[in-house]
Each structure stands twice: as structure tokens, then as C-alpha cells.
Amino acid sequence: MTNLASMQNNDDPSNERVQEPDFDDPPGFVDDISNEELLADLLKDKPKEADGIDSVVVIDNVPSVGPERLEKLKNVINKIFSKFGQIVSDHYPLDNGKTMGYIFLEYKSPANAVSAVKMLNGYKLDKQHTFAVNLFTDFEKYANRPPSQNLEKRPFQDMGNLRSWLQDIDANDHYSVIHDAGEKTSIYLNTSSEAIKVEERARWTETYVRWSPQGTYLTTFHQKGIALWGGEKFQQIQRFAHTGVQLIDFSPCERYLVSFSPLMDSKDDPKAIIIWDVLTGAKKRGFHCLSTSQWPVFKWSHDGKYFARIGEDSLSVYETPSFGLLDKKSFKCNDIKDFCWSPADSIISYWVPEQGESPARVTLLEIPSRKELRVKNLFNVSECKLHWQKAGDYLGVKVDRLTKSKKGQYYSFEIFRIREKQIPVDVVEIKDPIGAFAWEPVGSRFAVLHGESPRIGASFYNVKPNSKIELISKLHKLSIIK
């Protein structure tokens, strides 16, 4: 190759030779312009090593099936995971013709993959299979973690006896008082003679305090979240970060805490309502707040295994510890008005009003089987109230009924005998308006306040096993202290 190239110009009549430009670098030339500077526009579109991989999710604990059921499994997986974005490819590893219990799905974008992991990790497909969903890129991250021996173990913190107050020889309870314009909070022992101050602190809470159902914890409210206190010296047991928290609720077993904040909700990451593990402080699941008109939003079963809430013409029951929707679907209950759990069994009672030619109904529903244990049809109903006896042996339903002219009302109680065969129902009719109803704390008797002031009456009944309901006593012209 020569440094000077020449060519014959056929169009030039003089047929003179013209010189071609020399594009070679001169000797000793140093190129100080990088490819990144020279080709920046092109290099920005250069494929990266992680492209494609960060859109892949790995699903473990998938059913192992043969070729005859593979297509059905793919349809089920696609139906569940396609809710979070378009799936561009999938891979089902096989061993001797059967799937190996884990699969790979590739989404169109990494954001789809992140959403799928966030929402479906821990998803319960059936009783034997609960998905473990991870990003493919997480495996390298976990593999490169520092050795566990270099991590410091968190020292055990002895919280003492969180129920020491139960050892009081006179069985006195604690109660709390916020005073001095909210500056101080005091805990007192409620003795028969005079209150004994147990603890007092300044600015212990910013709004109010609340005890847990069994009295184990005292909850204080702060702008950044809530704190639990307990033990003989009321030391801090746990903290939960939930900015702007206003309301809380505990499961009856005190294992879970539910908090509500109107400031934290977002479309993609529900934070208005958060369920926490009391022992570990871990967030278990977040929910959107569909309505602020009723609190608590969730009602818990007696043992904390299930919790439920009313939706639009539906009743949604969730199970712990997965916190997923039971059987992945809600109960269809058109125009459901109210429900409550049995205080002793996993049984839900709910009622729906009359719809056209269909009567109002009170239903007893067994969980998790969804079996209807008893359905009672009611007519001319304007309102129902559900009252469980503490041991779960009886359910009392106060029914307000309209007369045929729709101008007047009359009242009755439907008493469900839960422990007896086929759950028979007794009816107690009361002509006067009902002021209040209550079961005795232990036993099968109940009391009803009825009538209008100044003629208030009280009737006492006893539900005899396998017999009729007996009127024990009736009092008239009671003086009601408001």
C-alpha cells in the first residue's frame, strides 16, 4: 500500500492524474479521543450483560407434573403471573419427562418482574404448594453476601414477665390516664381503696394510648409510628414505623397488630393499612383503605388464624401466616350488611337484607371449608344485630321487623344453638323497642332492656340445653342512669 494513491481521471480531457487524500495517521500520532466520546450516541444502545436477565423471575414450589398435565399447569401459571405484565417466554425444566418443581418466566420489562415478585412471593396455589418467587438477578446478590461468621449476633433482650400484673394477689387491673393537657401519662393499679400509681412519664405519647386485648402491651402513638410497652417497668418492647398513624387494632391472640395512616397509601405499594408481627416487628402485608367510615376494617377469628373484611357484594377472608386470600377468592354475598366471628370457633355469622322476592338471611359459615352450617330466612326485616355468647355456644340475632303496612315495627331474637344437632333456632318475641341486649359473661342467660323512657323494663332469660328458652324474671319502670 502506498501513501499516495493516484487514479486516472477519464473525464479529464488532459487525462491528468489527481491525488487521492491520505487518511493514514502520521508517524508518532497519539489518539486521545475514546470510543465513548466519539460514538456516545451509538454506544448508549449497546446491549448490556444484564439485559433480559433482570426481567426474569424464578418460581419455586411449583407442582411437579407429567406431559399430560403440563399444558394445564402452564395455563394456570400464565393466568396468575400475566396480571403483572406481558410474559415473553417461559422455561419448565424437566427430569424424566416431569417438571422439576421450579420454572423461569421472562417479562417484557424489569418493572413487571419486580411487581410479580412483590405481589406473588408467598402466593398459596393450593394446600401443598406455596410459591417462592425471586428475581433471577437476586441469586448473584445472595451468593456474594459476606460470610455469616462476620455478622454480629443481636444480643437477647430479656423483656421480663410481660404479664406480671396477673400475679397481683387481689387481681387488680391497670388503667391509664392522660393528664396535664396531654403532657403526662400515668398508669394506676385499680385497688378497692385507692388508686396506686405504678408509672408516670412526660410526653409518653403524642395523641392517646391503647391497651392490647389481653392487657399485655400499652400502645403509644407518635408522628413516625407506634411503640409497644410492657413488663413490670413498662420498657419498650417493639416499634413500628408508620408515618401519620391514627388507628390501631390487635388480633385477639395479640400476635398481630393492624395500623392505619391516611398519609402513606400509594397505588403500587399499599401502605394505608399495615399488618405487623408483634413479636418480630416485621411488616406482613399492606392494604389499601377502601373506606374510612368503619374501624376496625378487619375482624379476626378467635385464634388469629383468619381475618376478614366486607367488600363490594363480597366477604374476603385471609389466612395467616401467608396473609393471602383464602382459596384465592372472596365469598359472593350480595349486599352483605354485617358479619362477626364466633369467639370460640372458626365460624362466621353474617346477614343480608331482603332483595326482591328473596328473604333476608342469617348464615353461619364454617372456615376454611366454606360450608354453610345453618341458614335462617327472615321476612319483613329492617335491621339485624349479631350477638355471640362468649363461649360460642349460642348466637343471638336481634331482628327489627316491619308490620305489613310498613308503618310500624316489632322485635324478636333468633337464638341459634350452635352445639346442638342441626343448630336449631328459638324465637323470643318482644313487643317493645329494644334498648340493649347482653349475654352473661359465663353461662347461657341473657338480658334485654326494652320499652321507652320513662317505662323501661328488663327481662332475663335462660337458654336450657335441648329445651325451651325460659323467662326467669321481668322488671318494670327501671331508672336508667346515663
Side-chain angles (χ1 to χ4, degrees), residues 256-295:
Y256 302 109
L257 170 70
V258 187
S259 60
F260 164 73
S261 169
L263 306 179
M264 297 294 292
D265 210 10
S266 65
K267 182 178 180 181
D268 298 327
D269 186 15
K271 293 181 180 179
I273 299 173
I274 298 179
I275 301 181
W276 309 88
D277 188 307
V278 170
L279 298 179
T280 65
K283 175 184 173 180
K284 306 306 293 185
R285 182 169 176 179
F287 291 88
H288 294 296
C289 185
L290 303 178
S291 173
T292 58
S293 62
Q294 181 179 357
W295 183 264

Coordinates of all heavy atoms in Angstrom, one line a residue, residues 256-295:
Y256 N -50.8 -10.2 66.1 CA -50.7 -9.3 65.0 C -51.3 -8.0 65.4 O -52.2 -7.9 66.2 CB -51.4 -9.9 63.8 CG -50.9 -11.2 63.4 CD1 -51.6 -12.4 63.6 CD2 -49.6 -11.3 62.8 CE1 -51.1 -13.6 63.2 CE2 -49.1 -12.5 62.4 CZ -49.9 -13.7 62.6 OH -49.4 -14.9 62.2
L257 N -50.7 -6.9 64.8 CA -51.2 -5.5 65.0 C -51.5 -4.9 63.7 O -50.8 -5.1 62.7 CB -50.0 -4.7 65.7 CG -50.2 -3.2 65.8 CD1 -51.3 -2.9 66.8 CD2 -48.9 -2.5 66.2
V258 N -52.6 -4.2 63.6 CA -53.1 -3.6 62.4 C -53.0 -2.1 62.7 O -53.6 -1.6 63.7 CB -54.5 -4.0 62.0 CG1 -54.9 -3.4 60.6 CG2 -54.6 -5.5 62.0
S259 N -52.4 -1.3 61.7 CA -52.3 0.1 61.9 C -52.8 0.8 60.6 O -52.7 0.3 59.5 CB -50.8 0.6 62.2 OG -50.0 0.2 61.1
F260 N -53.4 2.0 60.8 CA -53.9 2.8 59.7 C -53.3 4.2 59.7 O -53.3 4.9 60.8 CB -55.4 2.9 59.9 CG -56.0 4.0 59.0 CD1 -56.1 3.8 57.6 CD2 -56.5 5.2 59.5 CE1 -56.6 4.8 56.8 CE2 -57.0 6.2 58.7 CZ -57.1 6.0 57.3
S261 N -52.9 4.7 58.5 CA -52.5 6.0 58.3 C -53.1 6.6 57.0 O -52.9 5.9 56.0 CB -50.9 6.1 58.3 OG -50.5 7.4 57.8
P262 N -53.7 7.7 57.0 CA -54.2 8.3 55.8 C -53.1 8.9 54.9 O -53.4 9.4 53.8 CB -55.2 9.4 56.3 CG -54.6 9.8 57.6 CD -54.0 8.6 58.2
L263 N -51.9 9.0 55.4 CA -50.8 9.7 54.6 C -49.9 8.8 53.8 O -49.2 9.3 52.9 CB -49.9 10.4 55.7 CG -50.5 11.3 56.7 CD1 -49.5 11.9 57.6 CD2 -51.3 12.4 56.0
M264 N -50.0 7.5 53.9 CA -49.0 6.6 53.4 C -49.4 5.8 52.2 O -48.6 5.1 51.6 CB -48.5 5.6 54.5 CG -47.9 6.2 55.7 SD -46.3 7.0 55.2 CE -45.3 5.6 54.8
D265 N -50.7 5.9 51.7 CA -51.1 5.0 50.7 C -50.6 5.4 49.3 O -50.4 6.6 49.0 CB -52.7 5.0 50.6 CG -53.2 3.6 50.1 OD1 -52.4 2.7 50.0 OD2 -54.4 3.5 49.9
S266 N -50.3 4.4 48.4 CA -50.0 4.6 47.1 C -50.5 3.5 46.2 O -50.8 2.4 46.7 CB -48.4 4.7 46.9 OG -47.9 3.4 47.2
K267 N -50.7 3.8 44.9 CA -51.4 2.8 44.1 C -50.6 1.5 44.0 O -51.2 0.4 44.0 CB -51.5 3.4 42.7 CG -52.3 2.5 41.7 CD -52.5 3.2 40.4 CE -53.2 2.3 39.4 NZ -53.4 2.9 38.1
D268 N -49.3 1.6 43.8 CA -48.5 0.4 43.6 C -48.0 -0.3 44.9 O -47.7 -1.5 44.9 CB -47.2 0.7 42.8 CG -47.6 1.3 41.4 OD1 -48.6 0.8 40.9 OD2 -46.9 2.1 40.9
D269 N -47.9 0.5 46.0 CA -47.5 -0.1 47.3 C -48.4 0.3 48.4 O -48.3 1.4 49.0 CB -46.1 0.5 47.6 CG -45.4 -0.2 48.8 OD1 -45.9 -1.2 49.2 OD2 -44.4 0.4 49.3
P270 N -49.4 -0.5 48.6 CA -50.4 -0.1 49.6 C -49.8 0.0 51.0 O -49.2 -1.0 51.5 CB -51.5 -1.3 49.5 CG -50.7 -2.4 48.9 CD -49.7 -1.8 48.0
K271 N -50.0 1.1 51.6 CA -49.5 1.3 53.0 C -50.5 2.0 53.9 O -50.1 2.3 55.1 CB -48.2 2.2 52.9 CG -47.0 1.6 52.2 CD -45.8 2.5 52.2 CE -44.6 1.9 51.5 NZ -43.5 2.9 51.5
A272 N -51.7 2.2 53.5 CA -52.7 2.9 54.3 C -53.0 2.0 55.6 O -53.0 2.4 56.7 CB -54.0 3.1 53.6
I273 N -53.1 0.7 55.3 CA -53.4 -0.3 56.4 C -52.2 -1.3 56.3 O -52.0 -1.9 55.3 CB -54.7 -1.0 56.2 CG1 -55.9 0.0 56.3 CG2 -54.9 -2.1 57.3 CD1 -57.2 -0.6 56.0
I274 N -51.5 -1.5 57.4 CA -50.4 -2.4 57.5 C -50.7 -3.4 58.7 O -51.0 -3.0 59.8 CB -49.1 -1.7 57.7 CG1 -48.8 -0.8 56.5 CG2 -47.9 -2.7 57.9 CD1 -47.5 0.0 56.7
I275 N -50.4 -4.7 58.4 CA -50.5 -5.7 59.4 C -49.1 -6.1 59.8 O -48.2 -6.4 59.0 CB -51.3 -7.0 58.9 CG1 -52.7 -6.6 58.6 CG2 -51.3 -8.0 60.0 CD1 -53.5 -7.8 58.1
W276 N -48.8 -6.1 61.1 CA -47.4 -6.3 61.6 C -47.4 -7.6 62.5 O -48.4 -7.9 63.1 CB -47.0 -5.1 62.5 CG -47.1 -3.8 61.9 CD1 -48.2 -2.9 61.9 CD2 -46.1 -3.1 61.2 NE1 -47.9 -1.8 61.3 CE2 -46.6 -1.8 60.8 CE3 -44.8 -3.3 60.8 CZ2 -45.9 -0.9 60.1 CZ3 -44.1 -2.4 60.1 CH2 -44.6 -1.2 59.7
D277 N -46.2 -8.2 62.6 CA -46.0 -9.3 63.5 C -45.5 -8.6 64.8 O -44.5 -7.9 64.8 CB -44.9 -10.2 63.0 CG -44.8 -11.5 63.8 OD1 -44.6 -11.3 65.0 OD2 -44.9 -12.6 63.3
V278 N -46.2 -8.8 65.9 CA -45.9 -8.1 67.1 C -44.6 -8.6 67.7 O -43.8 -7.8 68.2 CB -47.0 -8.3 68.2 CG1 -46.6 -7.9 69.6 CG2 -48.3 -7.6 67.7
L279 N -44.3 -9.9 67.6 CA -43.0 -10.4 68.2 C -41.8 -10.0 67.4 O -40.8 -9.7 68.1 CB -43.1 -12.0 68.2 CG -44.3 -12.6 69.0 CD1 -44.2 -14.1 69.0 CD2 -44.2 -12.1 70.5
T280 N -41.8 -10.0 66.1 CA -40.6 -9.6 65.3 C -40.6 -8.2 64.8 O -39.5 -7.7 64.4 CB -40.5 -10.6 64.1 OG1 -41.6 -10.3 63.2 CG2 -40.6 -12.0 64.5
G281 N -41.8 -7.5 64.8 CA -41.8 -6.2 64.3 C -41.9 -6.1 62.7 O -41.8 -5.1 62.1
A282 N -42.0 -7.3 62.1 CA -41.9 -7.4 60.6 C -43.3 -7.0 60.0 O -44.4 -7.3 60.6 CB -41.6 -8.8 60.2
K283 N -43.3 -6.3 58.9 CA -44.5 -6.0 58.2 C -44.9 -7.3 57.4 O -44.1 -7.8 56.7 CB -44.2 -4.9 57.2 CG -45.4 -4.6 56.2 CD -45.0 -3.5 55.2 CE -46.1 -3.3 54.2 NZ -45.8 -2.3 53.2
K284 N -46.1 -7.7 57.6 CA -46.6 -8.9 57.0 C -47.4 -8.6 55.7 O -47.2 -9.3 54.7 CB -47.6 -9.7 57.9 CG -47.0 -10.0 59.3 CD -45.6 -10.7 59.2 CE -45.7 -12.1 58.6 NZ -44.5 -12.8 58.6
R285 N -48.2 -7.5 55.6 CA -48.8 -7.2 54.4 C -49.5 -5.8 54.5 O -49.9 -5.4 55.6 CB -49.9 -8.2 54.0 CG -50.6 -7.9 52.7 CD -51.5 -8.9 52.2 NE -52.2 -8.5 51.0 CZ -53.1 -9.2 50.3 NH1 -53.3 -10.5 50.6 NH2 -53.7 -8.7 49.2
G286 N -49.5 -5.1 53.4 CA -50.2 -3.8 53.3 C -51.5 -3.9 52.5 O -51.6 -4.7 51.6
F287 N -52.4 -3.0 52.8 CA -53.7 -3.0 52.1 C -54.1 -1.5 51.8 O -53.7 -0.6 52.6 CB -54.8 -3.6 53.0 CG -54.7 -5.1 53.2 CD1 -54.0 -5.6 54.2 CD2 -55.4 -6.0 52.3 CE1 -53.9 -7.0 54.4 CE2 -55.3 -7.3 52.5 CZ -54.5 -7.8 53.6
H288 N -54.8 -1.3 50.8 CA -55.5 -0.1 50.5 C -56.7 0.1 51.5 O -57.3 -0.9 51.9 CB -56.0 0.0 49.1 CG -54.9 0.0 48.1 ND1 -53.9 1.0 48.0 CD2 -54.6 -0.8 47.1 CE1 -53.1 0.8 47.0 NE2 -53.5 -0.3 46.4
C289 N -57.0 1.3 51.8 CA -58.2 1.6 52.6 C -59.3 2.0 51.7 O -59.3 3.0 51.1 CB -57.9 2.7 53.6 SG -59.2 3.0 54.8
L290 N -60.3 1.0 51.6 CA -61.4 1.3 50.8 C -62.4 2.3 51.3 O -63.1 3.0 50.6 CB -62.1 -0.1 50.5 CG -61.2 -1.2 49.9 CD1 -62.0 -2.5 49.7 CD2 -60.6 -0.7 48.6
S291 N -62.5 2.3 52.7 CA -63.4 3.2 53.3 C -62.9 3.5 54.7 O -62.4 2.7 55.4 CB -64.8 2.6 53.4 OG -65.7 3.4 54.2
T292 N -63.0 4.8 55.1 CA -62.6 5.2 56.5 C -63.8 5.3 57.4 O -63.7 5.8 58.6 CB -61.9 6.5 56.4 OG1 -62.8 7.5 55.8 CG2 -60.6 6.4 55.6
S293 N -65.0 4.9 57.0 CA -66.2 5.1 57.8 C -66.3 4.0 58.9 O -67.1 4.2 59.8 CB -67.4 5.0 56.9 OG -67.5 3.7 56.3
Q294 N -65.6 2.9 58.8 CA -65.7 1.9 59.8 C -64.3 1.4 60.2 O -63.4 1.1 59.4 CB -66.5 0.7 59.3 CG -66.7 -0.4 60.3 CD -67.5 -1.6 59.8 OE1 -68.0 -1.5 58.6 NE2 -67.7 -2.6 60.5
W295 N -64.0 1.3 61.5 CA -62.8 0.8 62.1 C -63.2 -0.1 63.3 O -64.0 0.3 64.1 CB -61.8 1.9 62.5 CG -60.5 1.3 63.0 CD1 -60.2 1.0 64.3 CD2 -59.4 0.9 62.2 NE1 -58.9 0.5 64.3 CE2 -58.4 0.4 63.0 CE3 -59.2 0.9 60.8 CZ2 -57.2 -0.1 62.6 CZ3 -58.0 0.4 60.3 CH2 -57.0 0.0 61.2

